Amino acid sequence: MSGTRGTRVLVLNSGSSSVKYQLLDMGGGGRLALGLVERIGEQSSRLKHTPLATGGEAREWTGPIADHDAALKAVAEELARDGLGLDSPELAAIGHRVVHGGQTFTEPTVIDEAVLAEIERLIPVAPLHNPANLTGIRTARALRPDLPQVAVFDTAFHTTMPESAARYAIDVEIADAHRIRRYGFHGTSHAYVSRATAKLLGKDPSEANVIVLHLGNGASASAVRGGKCVDTSMGLTPLEGLVMGTRSGDMDPAVIFHLMRVGKMSTDEIDTLLNKKSGLIGLCGDNDMREIRRRIDEGDERAQLAFDIYIHRLKKYIGAYCAVLGRVDAIAFTAGVGENAAPVREAAVAGLEQLGLLLDAELNAVRGDEPRLISPANSRVAVAVVPTDEELEIATQTYALVGEESN
Ligand code: ADP
């Protein structure tokens, strides 16, 4: 890193009506501030800012924030109140989460006009996410045109998947003409957690075979061999794979034809059904695992069935990825459900002794923020809980790249 540049990195995760942000000091100062602007474009936009560096109280503000430009300016003002203004020479770079990098972007990339054009070209395969990410990038570039800005792609970690895992078994020419293949998502989390799991085992990532189960509201599994992704459960879009909070995951594609022909539903209606009204919420009316567990404890059968379907799918992926990897060193649970829901972890590995998986009920019940093993010492495959930190991973990758460029 050059002596003239600062050590702070602002991480931005721009959605269509929200911006999540964190300011990190990569020189050892840790997380300085974090926050969220939501309902951008509405009268009741909300900004919540937590100034970690000063140890001050979180500040919340509700009122109209017209667009991303106004949102970022409001964030900049909040940061300036803590002496962390975006005009500070301490700020080294801005790292942006970008959902879809297609086959083009296999690594974090310093943003220029050509990179912006390519992210734009990928909009047809990521119609909901890439436009919002682009808006965030353009806004940040307008605010600090002099500052290096880096795109960190959700898909990048999965670009090492072999063709046998990345291709769908459909006509090759049609697939290629429309760039239809399995890209996978949550890659930043899978990369971070697989590395952290190897470290927990005392191994170099290049020596460890790990199955990562990222179970948040969106959920995905990945098979990581020696630090490289060889398969993942999400596909062309995040709809494929595990049962999620509101997404169906795997399903016979003919269900769609049936809904069109017999159910007389439109493409958009089916899109909404499968992405927003399916999964746990479609099965039982709740997508929050805490609420589902509470209902199960009260004897609610629909909640129990939703839980059972969720676990059944998860088990199938664990088994499949054991087969894909051949030798498995560890299974790591991460994200909101994976890190917090002990009953999900217990049910997911129950009965998998033949695959070498054992769980220690006491260790599984312990809560904590640090990576930890929840399997007994005699488990052939280690079972771990490894909290994810996508923002730290984006900041680390951004800082490493900017450091390289300035040397
Ligand atoms: P995302 O980033 O996909 O929005 P998160 O990784 O933050 O999701 O996970 C959110 C989900 O985590 C919630 O919908 C809820 O189901 C689950 N969750 C959070 N805390 C707990 C908890 N203490 N017990 C069980 N599930 C939890």
Side-chain angles (χ1 to χ4, degrees), residues 37 138 166 236 262:
V37 188
R138 292 205 167 103
L236 172 73
V262 181

Side-chain angles (χ1 to χ4, degrees), residues 20 186 214-219 245 280 287-291 293 334-342 344 367 388 390:
K20 287 188 202 147
H186 291 146
H214 176 112
L215 310 177
N217 196 29
L280 294 171
N287 63 331
D288 193 310
M289 193 52 81
R290 285 163 288 204
E291 187 57 19
R293 291 303 313 173
T334 194
V337 176
E339 290 167 30
N340 296 299
V344 168
R367 301 186 67 86
T388 193
E390 289 166 277

Side-chain angles (χ1 to χ4, degrees), residues 9-195:
V9 175
L10 177 69
V11 175
L12 288 180
N13 180 353
S14 309
S16 56
S17 64
S18 70
V19 177
K20 287 188 202 147
Y21 62 93
Q22 285 197 12
L23 184 68
L24 296 98
D25 178 24
M26 306 311 287
R31 230 171 290 259
L32 304 174
L34 56 83
L36 162 74
V37 188
E38 47 188 4
R39 299 196 291 268
I40 295 171
E42 294 179 28
Q43 285 304 308
S44 62
S45 314
R46 187 175 81 108
L47 187 153
K48 185 173 180 191
H49 176 85
T50 307
L52 302 168
T54 57
E57 291 274 300
R59 302 193 287 271
E60 249 185 86
W61 183 90
T62 309
I65 296 181
D67 51 25
H68 282 73
D69 186 43
L72 198 56
K73 284 187 176 136
V75 170
E77 270 172 36
E78 290 299 331
L79 287 166
R81 281 176 66 185
D82 304 323
L84 299 168
L86 297 187
D87 50 0
S88 162
E90 280 300 315
L91 189 62
I94 300 180
H96 295 269
R97 175 187 181 217
V98 179
V99 168
H100 217 307
Q103 286 181 274
T104 319
F105 296 110
T106 58
E107 291 181 335
T109 306
V110 175
I111 297 166
D112 59 18
E113 287 305 321
V115 170
L116 284 174
E118 183 60 19
I119 297 172
E120 191 150 11
R121 203 179 67 87
L122 289 163
I123 287 177
V125 285
L128 295 179
H129 294 106
N130 275 26
N133 300 157
L134 274 170
T135 305
I137 294 172
R138 292 205 167 103
T139 310
R141 277 179 29 117
L143 200 68
R144 281 296 307 270
D146 55 312
L147 204 63
Q149 311 224 2
V150 173
V152 179
F153 299 91
D154 264 24
T155 46
F157 184 61
H158 305 303
T159 54
T160 51
M161 277 198 287
E163 285 295 280
S164 53
R167 278 203 179 268
Y168 291 108
I170 62 170
D171 182 284
V172 172
E173 273 153 36
I174 291 179
D176 288 350
H178 299 289
R179 282 178 278 167
I180 295 171
R181 58 189 282 119
R182 308 190 57 253
Y183 294 101
F185 300 89
H186 291 146
T188 308
S189 175
H190 286 286
Y192 177 86
V193 171
S194 58
R195 265 205 333 269

Side-chain angles (χ1 to χ4, degrees), residues 9 11 24 26 192 195 389-402:
V9 175
V11 175
L24 296 98
M26 306 311 287
Y192 177 86
R195 265 205 333 269
D389 196 337
E390 289 166 277
E391 288 78 15
L392 176 61
E393 179 70 12
I394 292 173
T396 304
Q397 294 192 9
T398 298
Y399 191 63
L401 192 57
V402 169

